[in-house]
C-alpha cells in the first residue's frame, strides 16, 4: 500500500535587510506568527562589509523560543537575514527539515507546496546534486543554485545579480506549485529576493531598511504602509533599494504601497473583525498543524504518534470504546463513532459527559474511554474521566491545551494543535478534533487490517480543500444574513452528516439566539416535519455519499411542504441545485473527511446571521469559553 504523502508546508516567513541588527527583528517577527503553532524554526544572517562577509544559520525543531535560546550568541552584527517557522505534514519535524535551506550560494525559506518536487529532485540527484533534507524547499534552492552555476559557466561576463535572477526565472518555469519564497545569495550581500506564486508575501520600506513577511501582522508593529507582492514580479531589496522587477519584461517598478488602518487590537485579530472569523480562517493551517509530523511517511502507512508502542498495544487490545464530551466536542465524538466502527470495527458508544455517570456504564477488560475537550477543563468531562480512571480502564484525551487537567489526567493524550481559541463558539478546535480523530481511527483501522487509502489521501489534502471553501466565505455569510428573521432554523443530515447537522444547529443557536434544531434526516417524517412551512429554513447536508439518494427524497418532502432549503452538497451537483433555494458546493472528498469540510459553511452561515443581528459574536450572552462547573 503506497501511501505517498502530499507535501504540504504551511509556514511563516520573515526577512529584513537594512542598517539595524537583523536578528531581533526576525525573532520578533517569528513570535508574531507563532499564534499558529509550529514544529520547527530557523534563521540565516549575513552582513556585507568591505573586509568580511559573515554568514550564519541556526535551525531548531520545536517552538520559536527554542530558536531564541539557541541563537543568543550569534547574529550580533549581521544586518541582513531571513527567518521561518514550519508546519509540515510530511516527515518528522526536525532540524534537518527546518528552514532556511542552503544550496551553495542560495539560502532560502519557503511557504506553500512544490507539487513536482520529487521529479525535480530525482533529476538533480541524477546529475550529482546531494540533498540533506526531505523537503521540497531544498529542491527549490538546489534548482536555483544549479541554474545559477550553469548560467555563469556559459557566460562569464554576467554579473552575479543577473545570473541569480535568470536562474530564479528558469527554476520558476520548472516548478509547479502554490508558494512564496524569500532568499539571499551569499555572493550578493545585503540583498533579499522574493517571489510568490499564490502564497502571500508582504513588504514594507522602513526608514532604515526593508521588512518582508508572509503575514502582515509581523510588519504592522514597524510600519502600516505595505506592498503586497503581486504574482509575476520579483521583489529585490537592500538597504537603499525597494523595487520589483517583472519576471517577463524585466521592467523595474516601485512597488504599489497600501496604507493599512490596523490597530494593535486588529493585529491581534490579524485584521479580522472578530476572533471567531480569524479562527475560522485559521482552519487550513490548524488542520495542517494538527497533522504535522503525524502522517505516514513510509510504505507501512503507520501514523506517527507520541508513545508509539503503547499506542499500538492499547488499540490492539481495545474491545469497546466510549467517547465522552460536551457541546461541540460531543459532536466530534458522535462523528468519530462512525470512523471507529467503520475502520477499526470497534464497538463505539458516545455519551454526553454530564449524563455518562448516570447510566452506570459497564467497564470491562478492553474498555477504552476517550474524552474530547477544547479547553481540557470542562467539569462534566473531567468527572467522566475520573469515573473511568477510578474503574481502572485505559483512557485517552483529545485536547487543545496540553497542560490542562484533562490532558494530564488521561492515560494518553492526542493533542489538537489549534492554538488558542478565543471565540466562545468553537470552530478551529472542532475541525482539529475531527482531524485527529479521523487520523486516529484510520490508523487503528490500519492496525486491524482495514486500510482506507482514499480517506488517508483526502486527509493530507484537507488544508487545501478547506482553503478552497473559505474562498466562498462571503457567499456563505450573505446566505446566513438572510436568515436573521427566521423564527426557527433546522439542520438535517444522515450518517456522518448527522452530528455535523447538530453542530450547525449549535453554532446557529449560540451565536444568533434563534431557536435552531438539528436532527437525523431520516427522523424528519417521524415528527419534525410538522415544523415545515414557507417560513422555516432547513439547512440540509447532502454530499454525494451512500446516503445521497435518501437525502434527495428528504429534500423533496421538505420542498413539497414549502420549506426554504439551503443545501450543502458536492460542487457541480445540478440535481440538488434544482430542488434547493440556496446551494453551497464543496470539493468532492472522501467519506472520512467530508464532515470536516461540511462544517465550514455552517460556521459561516451562523456567523453571517449573528453579524446581521448585531450579536456579540466572540462573547455570546450567557456562555463561557470553558464551563468549569457541573
Ligand atoms: C461550542 O461552540 C461551545 N462553546 C460549547 O458547546 C463547548 O463545545 C463545550 O462547552 C465543551 O467545551 P470543551 O470542548 O472545552 O470541553
Amino acid at each position: 500500500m503506497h501511501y505517498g504523502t502530499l507535501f504540504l508546508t504551511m509556514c511563516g516567513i520573515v526577512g529584513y535587510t537594512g542598517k539595524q541588527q537583523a536578528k531581533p527583528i526576525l525573532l520578533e517577527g517569528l513570535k508574531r506568527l507563532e499564534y499558529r503553532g509550529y514544529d520547527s524554526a530557523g534563521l540565516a544572517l549575513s552582513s556585507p562589509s568591505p573586509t568580511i562577509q559573515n554568514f550564519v544559520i541556526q535551525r531548531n525543531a520545536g517552538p520559536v523560543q527554542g530558536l531564541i535560546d539557541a541563537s543568543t550568541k550569534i547574529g550580533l552584527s549581521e544586518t541582513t537575514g531571513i527567518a521561518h517557522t514550519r508546519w509540515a505534514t510530511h516527515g518528522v519535524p526536525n532540524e534537518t527539515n527546518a528552514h532556511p535551506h542552503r544550496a551553495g550560494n542560495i539560502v532560502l525559506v519557503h511557504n506553500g507546496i512544490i507539487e513536482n518536487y520529487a521529479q525535480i529532485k530525482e533529476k538533480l540527484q541524477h546529475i550529482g546534486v546531494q540533498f540533506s533534507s526531505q523537503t521540497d524547499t531544498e529542491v527549490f534552492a538546489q534548482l536555483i543554485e544549479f541554474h545559477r552555476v550553469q548560467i555563469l559557466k556559459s557566460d562569464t561576463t554576467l554579473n552575479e545579480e543577473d545570473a541569480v535572477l535568470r536562474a530564479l526565472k528558469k527554476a520558476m518555469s520548472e516548478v509547479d506549485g502554490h508558494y512564496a519564497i524569500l532568499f539571499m545569495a551569499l555572493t550578493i550581500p545585503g540583498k533579499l529576493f522574493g517571489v510568490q506564486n499564490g502564497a502571500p508575501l508582504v513588504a514594507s520600506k522602513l526608514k532604515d531598511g526593508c521588512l518582508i513577511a508572509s503575514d502582515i501582522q509581523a510588519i504592522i508593529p514597524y510600519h502600516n504602509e505595505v506592498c503586497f507582492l503581486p504574482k509575476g514580479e520579483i521583489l529585490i531589496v537592500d538597504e537603499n533599494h525597494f523595487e520589483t522587477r517583472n519576471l517577463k519584461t524585466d521592467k523595474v517598478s516601485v512597488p504599489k504601497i497600501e496604507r493599512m488602518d490596523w490597530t494593535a487590537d486588529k493585529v491581534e485579530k490579524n485584521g479580522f473583525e472578530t476572533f471567531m472569523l480569524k479562527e475560522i480562517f485559521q482552519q487550513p493551517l490548524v488542520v495542517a498543524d494538527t497533522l504535522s509530523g503525524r502522517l505516514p511517511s513510509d510504505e507501512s502507512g503507520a501514523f506517527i504518534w507520541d508513545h508509539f508502542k503503547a499506542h499500538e498495544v492499547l488499540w490492539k487490545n481495545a474491545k469497546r470504546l466510549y467517547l465522552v464530551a460536551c457541546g461541540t466536542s460531543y459532536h466530534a465524538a458522535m462523528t468519530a463513532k462512525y470512523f471507529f466502527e467503520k475502520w477499526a470495527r470497534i464497538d463505539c458508544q458516545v455519551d454526553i459527559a454530564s449524563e455518562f455517570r448516570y447510566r452506570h456504564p459497564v467497564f470491562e477488560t478492553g474498555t477504552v474511554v476517550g474524552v474530547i475537550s477544547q479547553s481540557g477543563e470542562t467539569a462534566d468531562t473531567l468527572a467522566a474521566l475520573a469515573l473511568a480512571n477510578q474503574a481502572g480502564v485505559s483512557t485517552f484525551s483529545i485536547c487543545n491545551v496540553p497542560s490542562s487537567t484533562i490532558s494530564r489526567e488521561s492515560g494518553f493524550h492526542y493533542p489538537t494543535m489549534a492554538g488558542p481559541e478565543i471565540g466562545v463558539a468553537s470552530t478551529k478546535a472542532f475541525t482539529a478534533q475531527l482531524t485527529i480523530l479521523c487520523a486516529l481511527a484510520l490508523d487503528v483501522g490500519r492496525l486491524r487490517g482495514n486500510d482506507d487509502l482514499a480517506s488517508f489521501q483526502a486527509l493530507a489534502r484537507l488544508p487545501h480543500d478547506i482553503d478552497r471553501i473559505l474562498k466562498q466565505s462571503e457567499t456563505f455569510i450573505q446566505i446566513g444574513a438572510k436568515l436573521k428573521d427566521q423564527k426557527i432554523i433546522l439542520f438535517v443530515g444522515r450518517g456522518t452528516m448527522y452530528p455535523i447537522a447538530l453542530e450547525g444547529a449549535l453554532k446557529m443557536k449560540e451565536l444568533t439566539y434563534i431557536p435552531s434544531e438539528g436532527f437525523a434526516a431520516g427522523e424528519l417524517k417521524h415528527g419534525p416535519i410538522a415544523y415545515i412551512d414557507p417560513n422555516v429554513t432547513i439547512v440540509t447536508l447532502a454530499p454525494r455519499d451512500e446516503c445521497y439518494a435518501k437525502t434527495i427524497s428528504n429534500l423533496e418532502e421538505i420542498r413539497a411542504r414549502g420549506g426554504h432549503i439551503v443545501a450543502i452538497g458536492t460542487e457541480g451537483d445540478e440535481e440538488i441545485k434544482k430542488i434547493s433555494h440556496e446551494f453551497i458546493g464543496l470539493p468532492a472528498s472522501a467519506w472520512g473527511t467530508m464532515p470536516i469540510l461540511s462544517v465550514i459553511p455552517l460556521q459561516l452561515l451562523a456567523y453571517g446571521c449573528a453579524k446581521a443581528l448585531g450579536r456579540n459574536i466572540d462573547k455570546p450572552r450567557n456562555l463561557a469559553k470553558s464551563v468549569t462547573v457541573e
Side-chain angles (χ1 to χ4, degrees), residues 246-319:
N246 187 281
L247 271 165
K248 286 201 175 65
T249 63
D250 271 337
K251 181 172 173 296
V252 176
S253 348
V254 176
K256 177 171 168 280
I257 301 299
E258 297 184 41
R259 175 181 288 275
M260 310 305 296
D261 63 347
W262 277 32
T263 58
D265 172 56
K266 260 202 156 185
V267 172
E268 213 187 346
K269 293 178 186 148
N270 302 341
F272 290 101
E273 56 196 19
T274 61
F275 279 110
M276 182 182 168
L277 196 59
K278 164 187 161 186
E279 289 153 6
I280 287 174
F281 276 81
Q282 281 180 327
Q283 291 179 112
L285 212 48
V286 159
V287 166
D289 207 18
T290 298
L291 289 170
S292 174
R294 302 254 175 259
L295 290 180
S297 52
D298 61 25
E299 292 300 316
S300 73
F303 282 68
I304 301 154
W305 304 107
D306 311 330
H307 32 262
F308 186 78
K309 270 288 157 243
H311 156 89
E312 287 209 326
V313 169
L314 168 79
W315 290 106
K316 278 212 167 101
N317 301 317
K319 290 187 177 52

Side-chain angles (χ1 to χ4, degrees), residues 325-331 372-382 398-401 406 421 423-427 429-430 433 503 506-507 510-511 620 623-627:
C326 302
T328 287
S329 300
Y330 170 68
H331 299 147
I372 303 170
S373 175
Q374 186 287 126
S375 61
E377 302 300 343
T378 301
D380 292 325
T381 309
L382 265 172
I398 307 268
C399 185
N400 197 40
V401 184
I406 284 178
E421 186 176 66
V424 166
S426 184
T427 51
F430 179 63
Q433 288 168 349
E503 175 56 14
L506 176 58
K507 288 280 103 34
E510 65 178 332
L511 286 162
L623 293 180
K625 185 58 188 168
S626 176
V627 184

Side-chain angles (χ1 to χ4, degrees), residues 448-560:
R448 297 171 166 230
N450 305 328
D451 275 315
D452 179 335
L453 183 59
S455 287
F456 162 75
Q457 290 169 333
L459 195 61
R461 269 199 325 271
L462 264 180
H464 283 266
D465 288 343
I466 296 172
D467 214 28
R468 277 184 58 198
I469 294 170
L470 289 172
K471 290 197 177 6
Q472 303 177 67
S473 58
E474 261 321 299
T475 304
F476 306 155
I477 288 172
Q478 282 156 23
I479 294 173
K482 289 192 271 187
L483 305 179
K484 67 183 181 62
D485 301 321
Q486 291 294 306
K487 285 181 235 11
I488 182 168
I489 303 171
L490 309 179
F491 295 78
V492 296
R494 271 179 197 271
T496 54
M497 293 298 120
Y498 166 37
I500 302 304
L502 297 181
E503 175 56 14
L506 176 58
K507 288 280 103 34
M508 189 61 81
K509 74 181 78 168
E510 65 178 332
L511 286 162
T512 67
Y513 321 149
I514 296 175
S516 307
E517 184 178 344
F519 45 86
E523 274 298 282
L524 199 65
K525 52 192 172 299
H526 299 288
I529 202 162
Y531 277 136
I532 309 295
D533 72 24
N535 302 314
V536 173
T537 290
I538 303 90
V539 181
T540 307
L541 294 156
R544 276 200 177 280
D545 61 10
E546 58 188 355
C547 307
Y548 182 74
K550 290 197 174 62
T551 304
I552 288 279
S553 44
N554 291 142
L555 284 170
E556 301 290 5
E557 289 160 17
I558 296 165
R559 184 89 200 192

Side-chain angles (χ1 to χ4, degrees), residues 106 108 140 143-145 147-148 151 161-175 179 181 183 193-195 233-236 247:
I106 301 297
L108 182 144
F140 209 154
L143 186 61
I144 297 170
E145 172 64 3
H147 286 308
R148 184 189 73 83
I151 288 164
E161 183 163 328
D162 287 344
V164 164
L165 293 176
R166 285 190 197 178
L168 171 65
K169 287 185 216 174
K170 185 96 179 72
M172 287 178 73
S173 69
E174 295 173 28
V175 300
Y179 59 83
I181 60 170
F183 69 93
F193 302 90
V195 286
E233 298 282 326
I234 302 172
L235 176 72
I236 305 171
L247 271 165

